[in-house]
Amino acid sequence: MGIPNLQVALDHSNRPDAVAAAVSVGHEVDIIEAGTVLLLEVGGEVVQTLRNIFPDKIIVADTKCADAGGTVAKNVAKYGADWMTCICCATIPTMKAAAKEVKEIQVELYGDWTYEQAQQWLDAGISQAIYHQSRDALLAGETWGERDLSKVKKLIEMGFRVSVTGGLNVDTLELFRGVDVYTFIAGRGITEAADPAAAAREFKDKIREIWG
């Protein structure tokens, strides 16, 4: 069992705030994500900015692509994205087309999806999945629990590298003790902390404590 990565999600609606957040924590995390809202607000050029600042980091474009996979992937790849997300309802051809243009595709698990679909993703050569507690679900009062853990464990058993995200904090990490999580993704829990860099280090320290 490896030590999980820490990914920061830049869930901002403007470039200056996103770049400032990236600079404050980028050297503390393993992966930097240009969030969906950020990409919609300011465009793919923000990915190029992040690539220029962090030439050696993995950069993710969280496009949540549902169609035109090849075109979307080509656009974010030209700006320097390593990985790109596709929503789980996208067709296999969409995911395959995207996978030809970027290094890796991550399937975002929202709403209704099945393990039969998941096997089709694996069969198509896509081995990264992101398990969510959505922001809206969290605002509605839902919390992480055994139901989520069982799904994460099942996906890992199938052969996925599974990232988890959604309202994570340092205490939440304990729930995943003994689970081979690939990446923990945190946004506001890091970037809106009083000291974002310290918050990221706290996450990293807890990850090493549990999985080291």
Side-chain angles (χ1 to χ4, degrees):
M1 185 179 299
I3 297 176
N5 298 304
L6 178 61
Q7 176 173 325
V8 64
L10 302 176
D11 296 319
H12 301 77
S13 57
N14 64 78
R15 183 196 301 264
D17 287 349
V19 172
V23 170
S24 69
V25 303
H27 294 293
E28 305 290 344
V29 302
D30 305 296
I31 301 167
I32 300 171
E33 170 197 325
T36 308
V37 171
L38 179 62
L39 290 170
L40 290 171
E41 290 281 356
V42 306
E45 291 87 350
V46 71
V47 175
Q48 187 172 46
T49 301
L50 296 172
R51 171 56 65 213
N52 290 339
I53 298 171
F54 300 104
D56 299 322
K57 293 286 183 180
I58 295 172
I59 306 292
V60 181
D62 186 17
T63 59
K64 293 183 175 64
C65 182
D67 198 6
T71 300
V72 174
K74 187 177 292 184
N75 284 337
V76 296
K78 77 179 180 182
Y79 291 121
D82 299 294
W83 301 347
M84 185 189 101
T85 64
C86 285
I87 197 73
C88 57
C89 61
T91 64
I92 296 296
T94 291
M95 294 183 187
K96 282 185 172 181
K100 291 179 180 178
E101 305 296 338
V102 292
K103 293 176 183 176
E104 292 208 38
I105 295 296
Q106 298 174 298
V107 181
E108 296 252 16
L109 304 179
Y110 278 105
D112 295 327
W113 54 273
T114 68
Y115 294 114
E116 181 180 1
Q117 287 175 296
Q119 187 59 56
Q120 292 174 351
W121 304 329
L122 283 173
D123 292 343
I126 297 164
S127 62
Q128 284 207 57
I130 301 174
Y131 186 87
H132 280 264
Q133 277 278 21
S134 78
R135 186 183 182 194
D136 292 336
L138 291 165
L139 290 173
E142 293 188 23
T143 58
W144 287 94
E146 188 56 43
R147 181 183 65 176
D148 303 299
L149 287 175
S150 65
K151 291 180 179 179
V152 169
K153 290 175 183 176
K154 173 65 174 177
L155 290 165
I156 293 170
E157 290 171 2
M158 291 178 69
F160 283 98
R161 289 168 289 154
V162 180
S163 300
V164 295
T165 188
L168 295 178
N169 56 47
V170 172
D171 294 334
T172 315
L173 299 179
E174 283 286 356
L175 297 174
F176 296 91
R177 185 181 289 271
V179 181
D180 193 12
V181 174
Y182 183 58
T183 300
F184 288 104
I185 306 171
R188 294 169 184 84
I190 290 177
T191 61
E192 294 186 359
D195 186 338
R201 286 194 294 272
E202 188 177 6
F203 265 91
K204 291 287 284 186
D205 289 344
K206 190 65 174 180
I207 287 170
R208 283 190 288 263
E209 175 192 324
I210 296 173
W211 284 272

